[in-house]
């Protein structure tokens, strides 16, 4: 507005000055003859009439050129402003993009965060390369604001945020804690006997953070001396459902545990199994059957509950084992992200994501408390971000043969690519 007004003011005086100079020149020329009182009055009247007409005309052009700004208001469909001040378009797909170089690096280090589980502390365990630390996720059609710990904690003051799932959920929580602990140190106030479920608190913000160990999300148990896992596909795991009413924000995830050998129960009847190799004469129904049944049960619970926290379902996490699986010598030794179309999702990961999208993609229609955190694609492009052999300290010390060292190509180094999950999570939940 100021620039436009300045341009108008700079342009207008030229015309005004030109007209005034012309008028002065005309009056001085006519005054050279001997005027009578009548002609003098007439000339003076005409002079002032022309002068005021020109002034009025100049004023009109100034006013008509000056644009009055519309009233300031926030429309219901206006793009939200992120905590960093950047505008994030709701039409932008946060999960379609590329990993781009980030010279700034991570928000924390393994030295500044004491909450990293040993298995994910890749630098401490001797990983020699550091290039995997200097990338950030960039959606194609918008900017993704960098995580701000202080602004996040201000937004979640007096709130309770829970992560429900398996060890990847725990990996995600540790990433979030490491980022937030750069602003305020967290206090652990609870853990279960196996240290799998935990509760932390950020005292000055009265912010509570939980991770609940529930790898199947439904009731599961191992019966007798057999190692077979029994899944009750019509009963959600009470470890998380009985706490659900406490939570303001919830991130739910599932996945890889459904690939294990499992026996299915529904309505007090064994209905089938997965990966039991014909034992017990049970019908092989597949992991996608139990996964779909489970996610539908979760969806219905969230939809029908009278308590309405803001819920995210995080899609499956792809692994990057090459040449073989984790227990057969599979490894991951890449040091750069994939380019798009350079590789392809494994069948099991593609099937799981298809199930997730089928169950949840339309759930948000008409719902104000559910979002899909579709991190599968962005995670798949980061085969360089896993501990690999550095899940244990100095794995090749003493001349160990590389092929004999077990790799972790599923979980993520901390710091590492999983930190970007928090960027898209905050943008999805708090800014949209």
């Amino acid at each position: 507005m100021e620039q436009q007004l300045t341009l108008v003011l700079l342009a207008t005086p030229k015309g005004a000055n030109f007209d005034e100079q012309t008028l002065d020149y005309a009056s001085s020329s006519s005054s050279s003859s001997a005027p009578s009182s009548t002609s003098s009055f007439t000339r003076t009247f005409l002079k002032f009439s022309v002068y005021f007409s020109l002034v009025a005309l100049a004023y009109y052009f100034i006013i008509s050129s000056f644009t009055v700004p519309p009233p300031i208001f926030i429309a219901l469909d206006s793009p939200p402003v992120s905590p960093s001040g950047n505008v994030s378009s709701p039409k932008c797909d946060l999960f379609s993009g590329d990993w781009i170089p980030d010279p700034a690096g991570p928000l924390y280090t393994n030295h500044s965060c004491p909450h990293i589980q040993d298995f994910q502390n890749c630098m401490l365990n001797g990983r020699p390369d550091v290039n995997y630390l200097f990338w950030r996720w960039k959606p194609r059609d918008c900017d993704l604001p960098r995580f701000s710990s202080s602004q996040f904690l201000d937004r979640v003051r007096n709130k309770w945020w829970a992560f429900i799932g398996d060890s990847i959920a725990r990996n995600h929580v540790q990433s979030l804690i490491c980022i937030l602990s750069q602003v305020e140190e967290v206090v652990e106030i609870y853990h279960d006997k196996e240290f799998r479920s935990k509760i932390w608190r950020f005292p000055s913000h009265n912010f509570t953070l939980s991770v609940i160990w529930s790898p199947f999300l439904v009731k599961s148990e191992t019966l007798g001396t057999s190692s077979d896992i029994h899944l009750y596909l019509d009963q959600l795991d009470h470890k998380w459902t009985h706490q659900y009413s406490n939570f303001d924000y919830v991130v739910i995830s599932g996945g890889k545990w459904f690939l294990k050998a499992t026996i299915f129960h529904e309505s007090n009847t064994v209905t089938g199994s997965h990966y039991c190799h014909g034992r017990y004469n049970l019908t092989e129904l597949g992991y996608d059957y139990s996964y779909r049944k489970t996610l539908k049960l979760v969806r219905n619970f969230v939809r029908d509950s009278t308590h309405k926290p803001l819920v995210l379902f995080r899609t499956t996490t792809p692994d990057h084992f090459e040449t073989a699986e984790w227990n057969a010598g599979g490894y991951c030794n890449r040091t750069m992200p994939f380019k798009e179309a350079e590789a392809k999702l494994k069948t099991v990961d593609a099937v799981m994501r298809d199930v997730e999208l089928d169950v949840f993609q339309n759930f948000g229609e008409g719902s104000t408390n559910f979002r899909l955190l579709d991190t599968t694609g962005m995670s798949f492009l980061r085969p360089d971000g896993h501990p690999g052999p550095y899940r244990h300290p100095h794995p090749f010390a003493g001349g160990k043969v590389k092929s004999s060292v077990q790799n972790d190509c599923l979980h993520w180094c901390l710091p590492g690519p999983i930190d970007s999950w928090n960027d898209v999570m905050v943008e999805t939940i708090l800014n949209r």
Side-chain angles (χ1 to χ4, degrees), residues 110 116-126 390 413-414:
N110 65 316
I116 303 174
Q117 191 174 23
D118 291 344
F119 292 143
Q120 278 83 59
N121 201 332
C122 302
M123 298 301 291
L124 181 66
N125 291 339
Y390 298 99
C413 293
L414 292 176

Side-chain angles (χ1 to χ4, degrees), residues 162-376:
F163 289 76
I164 302 165
D166 55 22
S167 57
I168 300 295
R170 183 168 63 238
N171 201 177
H172 190 182
V173 168
Q174 290 170 347
S175 166
L176 181 59
I177 286 177
C178 281
I179 295 172
L180 297 179
S181 65
Q182 306 308 296
V183 169
E184 180 184 357
E185 189 50 66
V186 68
V187 178
E188 183 181 309
I189 61 175
Y190 167 81
H191 63 76
D192 62 5
K193 186 169 59 176
E194 296 84 13
F195 288 83
R196 286 178 162 177
S197 295
K198 292 186 177 183
I199 302 176
W200 299 266
R201 181 160 294 148
F202 292 83
S204 67
H205 292 83
N206 192 31
F207 172 54
T208 306
L209 189 60
S210 295
V211 61
I212 301 172
W213 175 258
S214 183
F216 291 106
L217 302 176
V218 293
K219 177 184 175 181
S220 62
E221 58 184 2
T222 302
L223 302 176
T225 58
S226 171
S227 60
D228 295 324
I229 301 172
H230 294 254
L231 296 184
Y232 297 83
L233 299 179
D234 51 3
Q235 300 180 51
L236 290 173
D237 185 357
H238 75 277
K239 285 200 301 293
W240 68 270
T241 57
H242 87 278
Q243 302 181 64
Y244 186 77
S245 61
N246 296 325
F247 305 141
D248 300 288
Y249 303 96
V250 183
V251 181
I252 303 174
S253 56
K256 288 292 191 285
W257 278 68
F258 287 83
L259 300 177
K260 292 177 175 286
T262 45
I263 297 172
F264 308 148
H265 296 252
E266 299 173 73
S267 301
N268 299 317
T269 302
V270 175
T271 56
S273 66
H274 168 62
Y275 204 60
C276 286
H277 304 293
R279 287 176 294 160
Y280 320 119
N281 196 30
L282 295 175
T283 303
E284 169 66 31
L285 295 177
Y287 64 90
D288 54 327
Y289 175 86
S290 58
Y291 197 42
R292 184 181 298 275
K293 285 277 187 175
T294 296
L295 297 190
K296 284 184 175 180
L297 205 61
V298 171
R299 179 194 64 189
N300 295 344
F301 175 83
V302 171
R303 183 190 61 200
D304 300 336
S305 175
T306 56
H307 179 61
K308 298 294 182 183
L310 195 49
V311 178
L312 277 179
F313 183 87
R314 181 183 54 74
T315 57
T316 190
T317 303
D319 68 69
H320 291 95
F321 288 99
E322 297 190 38
T323 71
E325 291 304 314
W326 67 273
N327 56 352
Y331 63 86
C332 46
N333 59 1
R334 297 181 182 268
T335 58
M336 293 287 288
F338 280 142
K339 297 293 185 182
E340 192 174 20
E342 187 177 349
K344 185 179 179 182
L345 270 179
K346 293 180 180 179
T347 299
V348 293
D349 294 323
V351 169
M352 283 186 171
R353 184 169 179 272
D354 285 344
V355 170
E356 292 162 347
L357 295 181
D358 184 50
V359 173
F360 287 116
Q361 200 163 37
N362 296 324
F363 178 76
E365 295 180 1
S367 170
T368 59
N369 74 315
F370 183 84
R371 309 283 187 276
L372 197 65
L373 190 66
D374 189 8
T375 57
T376 303

Side-chain angles (χ1 to χ4, degrees), residues 55 83 99 152 171 178 378 397 428:
V55 170
W99 291 93
F152 176 87
N171 201 177
C178 281
M378 63 184 290
T428 300

Side-chain angles (χ1 to χ4, degrees), residues 1-245:
M1 181 176 74
E2 292 176 356
Q3 290 178 343
Q4 186 175 8
L5 179 59
T6 302
L7 290 174
V8 170
L9 292 178
L10 286 175
T12 303
K14 291 183 180 180
N17 288 339
F18 176 78
D19 289 337
E20 288 173 2
Q21 289 172 357
T22 304
L23 181 61
D24 290 342
Y25 174 76
S27 65
S28 62
S29 299
S30 60
S31 64
S32 58
S33 59
S36 65
S37 61
T38 302
S39 59
S40 176
F41 174 79
T42 302
R43 286 196 299 270
T44 301
F45 177 78
L46 290 173
K47 178 179 178 180
F48 279 100
S49 296
V50 173
Y51 176 79
F52 284 114
S53 297
L54 289 173
V55 170
L57 187 63
Y59 180 77
Y60 168 77
F61 280 117
I62 292 176
I63 294 301
S64 63
S65 299
F66 182 73
T67 303
V68 179
I72 298 174
F73 63 95
I74 299 176
L76 292 177
D77 58 350
S78 62
V81 179
S82 68
S84 66
N86 296 331
V87 174
S88 172
S89 169
K91 295 181 180 179
C92 170
D93 182 359
L94 294 174
F95 308 106
S96 176
D98 304 283
W99 291 93
I100 64 174
D102 179 22
L107 296 172
Y108 63 95
T109 69
N110 65 316
H111 292 293
S112 67
C113 179
H115 306 287
I116 303 174
Q117 191 174 23
D118 291 344
F119 292 143
Q120 278 83 59
N121 201 332
C122 302
M123 298 301 291
L124 181 66
N125 291 339
R127 178 167 174 168
D129 62 304
V130 296
N131 186 63
Y132 71 97
L133 297 173
F134 296 94
W135 300 88
R136 68 179 178 88
W137 178 248
K138 171 66 173 68
R140 287 197 178 88
D141 300 321
C142 63
D143 290 323
L144 180 63
R146 196 170 177 85
F147 194 105
S148 170
S149 300
S150 57
Q151 290 171 342
F152 176 87
L153 287 171
D154 285 341
R155 295 283 295 277
V156 296
R157 189 181 297 275
N158 303 319
K159 303 296 185 182
W160 193 331
W161 198 307
F163 289 76
I164 302 165
D166 55 22
S167 57
I168 300 295
R170 183 168 63 238
N171 201 177
H172 190 182
V173 168
Q174 290 170 347
S175 166
L176 181 59
I177 286 177
C178 281
I179 295 172
L180 297 179
S181 65
Q182 306 308 296
V183 169
E184 180 184 357
E185 189 50 66
V186 68
V187 178
E188 183 181 309
I189 61 175
Y190 167 81
H191 63 76
D192 62 5
K193 186 169 59 176
E194 296 84 13
F195 288 83
R196 286 178 162 177
S197 295
K198 292 186 177 183
I199 302 176
W200 299 266
R201 181 160 294 148
F202 292 83
S204 67
H205 292 83
N206 192 31
F207 172 54
T208 306
L209 189 60
S210 295
V211 61
I212 301 172
W213 175 258
S214 183
F216 291 106
L217 302 176
V218 293
K219 177 184 175 181
S220 62
E221 58 184 2
T222 302
L223 302 176
T225 58
S226 171
S227 60
D228 295 324
I229 301 172
H230 294 254
L231 296 184
Y232 297 83
L233 299 179
D234 51 3
Q235 300 180 51
L236 290 173
D237 185 357
H238 75 277
K239 285 200 301 293
W240 68 270
T241 57
H242 87 278
Q243 302 181 64
Y244 186 77
S245 61

